[in-house]
Amino acid sequence: MQFPLLWLAVFGNATGGLALLSSSKVMLTDIFAGVSPEIVTPAFSTGYVSALGVGMALGRFGWSAISDVLGRQNTYAVFGLGIPIVGLTPYLCHMASGAGAGGEVDMWPLMAFYSGSVLTITFYGGVFSVLPAYIADLFGQKHAGAIHGKALTAWALSAVAGPMGLAYLRSHSYKSAVEDLLQAIDRHDASALERSFGVSINDDVGIQKLMNAKTLTIEKLMELAPEDFVDPSPYLYNTTLYAAAGLMSVAFLSNLAIRPLDLNKELKQLERGSVRS
């Protein structure tokens, strides 16, 4: 039972790390740049991406060394700190958006988002650097290479299925936000949509073509929306990040459920099997 649990621990942590890695730069430019454009400049965004790369490198070297002191399972348990960080990221985005709408510039959400995401990326790097030693501790050195190769299928699946699933969630949230915006605009001014984009509220095909061409976007629709309509942009990543936090929770619980092999018990079972045969 140890290997399936270890596989789930790798898959959940890898998928959560990839979700944050793939969406954090977009979140920074879409949300925080609109709230604090004088701070979140293109140079700042480039530096943020560099910081994520440095964080991953430090995680690969740092957590492998720390695991020699804490132990492999305890180190994987520490990676569970990424769960509240990823799960609370939507709250930070909402807080930043609310402060910006009130004309205030609150640096705390941006600082928390920046530092939290870099810390979580170190966990993503640490998952793979600690894994070989974790496998050796659980199953021994003899077949560690083969088992490590099988465990890396979890990373391969997370690299393929993870971004696809999370992109679907984000796309679904985007379409829902656009539909709500279109309904609000239609109630506010029935002819505004046709004047601006040349389509009616009932022209689903035309609206979809404009969305695919990036002609009809949330930013442009907000210009036509009623003044009291809340910008949905900070909420587009909620389902993506909550799903990632859920997978990381599964990984955390799977790691806690792992128990070292009882060698005496395993040897007795092998002896019984050989006697029966």
Side-chain angles (χ1 to χ4, degrees), residues 59-253:
R60 288 184 179 273
F61 289 104
W63 287 113
S64 60
I66 292 173
S67 70
D68 292 336
V69 179
L70 294 182
R72 321 304 177 191
Q73 188 173 32
N74 291 336
T75 303
Y76 262 57
V78 171
F79 297 160
L81 291 174
I83 298 170
I85 294 175
V86 174
L88 291 174
T89 296
Y91 174 74
L92 295 175
C93 296
H94 305 165
M95 183 184 296
S97 179
E104 302 175 359
V105 177
D106 189 355
M107 288 293 298
W108 184 83
L110 176 59
M111 293 172 60
F113 173 80
Y114 195 113
S115 58
S117 56
V118 172
L119 177 61
T120 304
I121 291 302
T122 69
F123 299 156
Y124 175 69
V127 166
F128 300 103
S129 63
V130 177
L131 182 60
Y134 198 176
I135 290 173
D137 289 351
L138 286 174
F139 305 105
Q141 294 281 356
K142 185 174 182 180
H143 301 292
I147 296 172
H148 183 246
K150 293 179 180 179
L152 286 181
T153 60
W155 173 77
L157 183 61
S158 70
V160 176
M164 290 176 61
L166 298 173
Y168 170 79
L169 291 175
R170 200 265 182 187
S171 176
H172 183 268
S173 298
Y174 190 92
K175 290 180 179 179
S176 298
V178 169
E179 290 174 2
D180 293 340
L181 261 171
L182 291 174
Q183 294 294 334
I185 293 170
D186 187 58
R187 290 192 299 267
H188 179 66
D189 185 353
S191 62
L193 190 64
E194 191 165 358
R195 290 198 311 269
S196 300
F197 298 100
V199 294
S200 65
I201 187 68
N202 298 318
D203 187 2
D204 295 335
V205 176
I207 290 173
Q208 186 61 49
K209 287 182 178 179
L210 291 175
M211 288 178 62
N212 293 338
K214 306 298 182 183
T215 303
L216 192 150
T217 62
I218 289 178
E219 183 179 5
K220 293 180 180 178
L221 288 176
M222 282 300 299
E223 298 175 0
L224 305 177
E227 293 183 0
D228 59 345
F229 193 89
V230 179
D231 187 354
S233 298
Y235 304 90
L236 297 178
Y237 303 91
N238 288 12
T239 53
T240 299
L241 293 172
Y242 291 151
L247 288 171
M248 293 173 72
S249 299
V250 172
F252 178 75
L253 295 175

Side-chain angles (χ1 to χ4, degrees), residues 21-74:
L21 187 64
S22 62
S23 60
S24 56
K25 170 63 162 49
V26 183
M27 292 171 64
L28 184 73
T29 55
D30 284 357
I31 299 170
F32 292 96
V35 175
S36 305
E38 68 284 353
I39 298 174
V40 186
T41 61
F44 183 92
S45 300
T46 302
Y48 174 70
V49 174
S50 300
L52 293 177
V54 171
M56 185 178 296
L58 291 176
R60 288 184 179 273
F61 289 104
W63 287 113
S64 60
I66 292 173
S67 70
D68 292 336
V69 179
L70 294 182
R72 321 304 177 191
Q73 188 173 32
N74 291 336

Side-chain angles (χ1 to χ4, degrees), residues 3-24:
F3 180 77
L5 292 172
L6 181 63
W7 193 95
L8 284 174
V10 175
F11 176 76
N13 282 311
T15 306
L18 284 172
L20 191 62
L21 187 64
S22 62
S23 60
S24 56

